[in-house]
Amino acid sequence: MARVECGYAHPDEETVSLEAIFHALSDPYRLRIVRALAASAVPMNCGDLSFGRPKSSMSHHFRILRASGVLHTASQGVEHMNSLRREMLDRRFPGLMAAVLGEIGHSATTEASARPLTPA
Amino acid sequence: MARVECGYAHPDEETVSLEAIFHALSDPYRLRIVRALAASAVPMNCGDLSFGRPKSSMSHHFRILRASGVLHTASQGVEHMNSLRREMLDRRFPGLMAAVLGEIGHSATTEASARPLTPA
């Protein structure tokens, strides 16, 4: 059962699947969103995470990240604030986000994120 | 530059990307292949990894796993033997495969693999 909060549906912990998370992380822009949120001490609004891409394209990426369980969106007035569901992800798939974010050993992921991105 | 070996192309370590690996792992059958290979002490042929699915469907899954860098295929006579490129993956993305295979902490991935699979 998904929880609907301020118009946004977020999957419950027990329904979050590894396959859906991998699909969410298989796109370079979605991976950039995840890395930016991981590096931020506070939730970020969608505008701060647009990377110069059209709003419709980024809305699609946010929807997929949210549906997979990776990201949480909350409405604050007219803003939509995003944060990683890091605690839940660490509980459900230990070590996964640490590996994704290059927190373990050397960070080959930094090289990957420095690559030129092709349009989504 | 990809290495071609016995007719199979395998990406070089430096061209392997996190995005391609995530795409490869975003399908339940491909995840089953990866888990079966991780649990096996020796390379496995495609027939042992078909899970009752049509050959054409599984060939597609093997191709995606190979192209992403996750899997290595070698021809031995008429057989095509598959193994994980675990050492390379561990070097390039430390901790990733351990997290994927549920080797860190409790294994939520075991639950996921026990779920009924929908046809690919």
Side-chain angles (χ1 to χ4, degrees):
Chain A
M1 182 71 123
R3 282 171 296 135
V4 177
E5 197 177 315
C6 301
Y8 289 113
H10 298 95
D12 286 336
E13 178 167 344
E14 61 271 22
T15 66
V16 169
S17 81
L18 210 44
E19 293 90 334
I21 291 174
F22 289 142
H23 171 60
L25 299 177
S26 67
D27 175 274
Y29 282 101
R30 295 198 289 269
L31 214 41
R32 279 181 77 168
I33 292 171
V34 168
R35 289 186 179 129
L37 288 174
S40 171
V42 291
M44 295 174 77
N45 71 35
C46 300
D48 290 338
L49 294 162
S50 67
F51 307 115
R53 300 283 306 148
K55 197 175 171 182
S56 59
S57 166
M58 295 312 285
S59 294
H60 164 76
H61 290 318
F62 278 105
R63 198 161 42 239
I64 290 178
L65 284 167
R66 200 159 42 232
S68 74
V70 168
L71 179 146
H72 183 270
T73 310
S75 294
Q76 285 183 9
V78 294
E79 286 197 304
H80 308 287
M81 302 305 290
N82 302 284
S83 52
L84 287 189
R85 296 179 67 182
R86 183 71 194 258
E87 263 184 53
M88 180 278 284
L89 293 168
D90 284 351
R91 199 164 47 229
R92 186 122 172 79
F93 304 110
L96 181 64
M97 291 310 288
V100 168
L101 296 166
E103 294 170 354
I104 303 169
H106 85 98
S107 171
T109 55
T110 309
E111 286 165 44
S113 67
R115 279 206 327 256
L117 294 172
T118 48
Chain B
M1 184 69 124
R3 283 170 297 135
V4 178
E5 197 177 315
C6 302
Y8 289 114
H10 298 95
D12 286 338
E13 179 167 342
E14 59 272 19
T15 65
V16 169
S17 82
L18 210 43
E19 293 90 333
I21 291 173
F22 289 141
H23 171 60
L25 299 177
S26 67
D27 175 273
Y29 282 102
R30 294 199 290 270
L31 214 40
R32 279 181 78 167
I33 292 172
V34 168
R35 288 185 179 130
L37 287 175
S40 171
V42 292
M44 295 174 77
N45 71 36
C46 299
D48 290 337
L49 295 162
S50 67
F51 307 115
R53 301 283 305 150
K55 198 174 169 180
S56 59
S57 167
M58 294 312 284
S59 294
H60 163 76
H61 290 316
F62 278 106
R63 198 160 42 239
I64 290 178
L65 284 167
R66 200 157 44 231
S68 73
V70 168
L71 180 148
H72 183 271
T73 309
S75 294
Q76 285 184 8
V78 294
E79 286 197 303
H80 308 286
M81 303 306 288
N82 301 284
S83 53
L84 287 188
R85 295 178 67 182
R86 183 71 194 257
E87 264 185 52
M88 179 278 285
L89 293 168
D90 284 349
R91 199 163 48 230
R92 186 124 171 78
F93 304 110
L96 181 64
M97 290 310 288
V100 167
L101 296 166
E103 294 170 354
I104 304 170
H106 84 98
S107 172
T109 54
T110 309
E111 286 166 45
S113 68
R115 280 206 326 255
L117 293 171
T118 49

